[in-house]
């Protein structure tokens, strides 16, 4: 589920039913295996659980004024998000930490290799570089989240180096501008955190890690046009233009972004809709192509269009309480995680159904809740 392999297998016809229908049986199975019960699934122990529950309630309340034909579908999505979070939280509170590392590392490798394979061998030139995630921006975002948790839990130097290199390489293959920004932020802030943890002492290990990062960045920034053109997946997706934008040789916001159907134009149109009705248009309206021809590509605007100011306020409260949670020390890697999530809110409208985000969040909360219980009992 972390690498969304099941969705890919369903698309290819290897799974007989949609992945959504598998979630409920998997939830029941996880409860049985880890000696839980349905009551434990209903107990809301974390701020994130209350957030997903509130989203589910809002989706029901705002369904009355919605013109979307798929309103019950989006209510079901909200319920699924809550169910995935609760069952994942129960899973991570029972499983050994060593297994957690292996789970995230394996998911990172599978997703990364799927991106590389699709880039080189896929027949669909438009979607090359997204792998199992089916969207380049979504693939890059998932890679960053998985990398953060691996770097947090793994103390092995060589594993960290390989994850850093893999994150930069696989994200570069997606050609996602937002994804590359997030990847560089993850790596840079991780190295700063390690530098701070060593009490600002640059030991040989830190110097080696920084040199590796510098060499990888230098390699990608100096890629020649001839090399790029040899890979059809890069050549058909304006790789040269994307690289020039990242190097500062071209405007980061291109002319196509400002045209009709571009990200900037979509942002302006949806913001105008929001100012005209700040009380919300109803559940699923932002995804209704009869309302507007394009998705919001923005989580804040999506909640604003569907639930009005209440939805935006809920998201702000969630981020505030998640970062400054009571009883828990502020961990650098958790700050990086939420920083990446906040940045992604400006580039995606499917964050709240992103299973990689939900499962990673449940893992973080299970770890932080364990610290709270230990401190309170002490």
């Amino acid at each position: 589920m972390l690498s969304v392999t099941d969705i890919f297998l369903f698309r290819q016809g290897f799974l007989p039913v949609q992945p959504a229908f598998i979630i409920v049986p998997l939830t029941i199975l996880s409860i049985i295996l880890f000696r839980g019960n349905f009551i434990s699934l209903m107990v809301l122990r974390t701020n994130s659980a209350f957030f997903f529950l509130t989203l589910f309630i809002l989706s029901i309340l705002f369904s009355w004024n919605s013109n979307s034909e798929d309103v019950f579908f989006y209510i079901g999505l909200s319920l699924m998000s809550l169910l995935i979070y609760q069952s994942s939280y129960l899973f991570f509170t029972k499983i050994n930490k060593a297994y957690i590392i292996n789970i995230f590392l394996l998911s990172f490798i599978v997703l990364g290799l799927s991106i590389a394979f699709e880039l080189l061998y896929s027949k669909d030139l438009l979607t090359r570089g997204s792998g199992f995630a089916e969207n380049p921006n979504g693939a890059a975002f998932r890679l960053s989240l998985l990398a953060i948790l691996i770097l947090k839990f793994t103390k092995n130097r060589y594993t960290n180096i390989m994850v850093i290199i893999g994150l930069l390489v696989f994200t570069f293959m997606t050609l996602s501008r937002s994804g590359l920004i997030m990847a560089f932020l993850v790596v840079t802030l991780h190295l700063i955190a390690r530098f701070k943890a060593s009490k600002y002492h640059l030991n040989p290990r830190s110097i080696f890690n920084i040199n590796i990062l510098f060499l990888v960045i230098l390699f990608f920034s100096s890629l020649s046009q001839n090399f790029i053109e040899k890979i059809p997946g890069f050549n058909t997706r304006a790789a040269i233009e994307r690289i020039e934008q990242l190097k500062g040789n071209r405007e980061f916001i291109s002319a196509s972004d400002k045209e009709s159907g571009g990200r900037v134009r979509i942002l302006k149109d949806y913001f105008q809709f929001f100012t005209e009705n700040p009380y919300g248009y109803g559940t699923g309206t932002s995804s209704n192509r009869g309302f507007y021809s394009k998705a919001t590509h923005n989580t804040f605007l999506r909640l604003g269009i569907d639930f009005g100011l209440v939805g935006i306020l809920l998201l702000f409260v969630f981020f505030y309480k998640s970062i400054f949670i009571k009883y828990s020390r502020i961990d650098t890697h958790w700050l990086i995680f939420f920083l990446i999530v906040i940045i992604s809110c400006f580039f995606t409208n499917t964050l709240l159904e992103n299973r990689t985000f939900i499962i990673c969040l449940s893992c973080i909360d299970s770890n932080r809740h364990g610290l709270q219980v230990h401190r309170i009992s002490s």
Side-chain angles (χ1 to χ4, degrees), residues 325-331 367-378:
I325 191 168
K326 193 176 180 182
Y327 302 120
S328 177
R329 62 186 177 90
I330 298 178
D331 186 281
N367 184 269
R368 300 175 81 181
H369 182 72
L371 290 174
Q372 293 177 24
V373 172
H374 175 72
R375 291 186 176 192
I376 294 173
S377 62
S378 298

Side-chain angles (χ1 to χ4, degrees), residues 29-47:
L29 181 62
S30 65
I31 293 174
I32 297 174
L33 289 178
F34 294 97
R35 300 177 183 178
N37 50 59
F38 287 100
I39 297 178
S40 64
L41 190 66
M42 301 300 294
V43 175
L44 305 180
R45 297 181 175 86
T46 65
N47 163 62

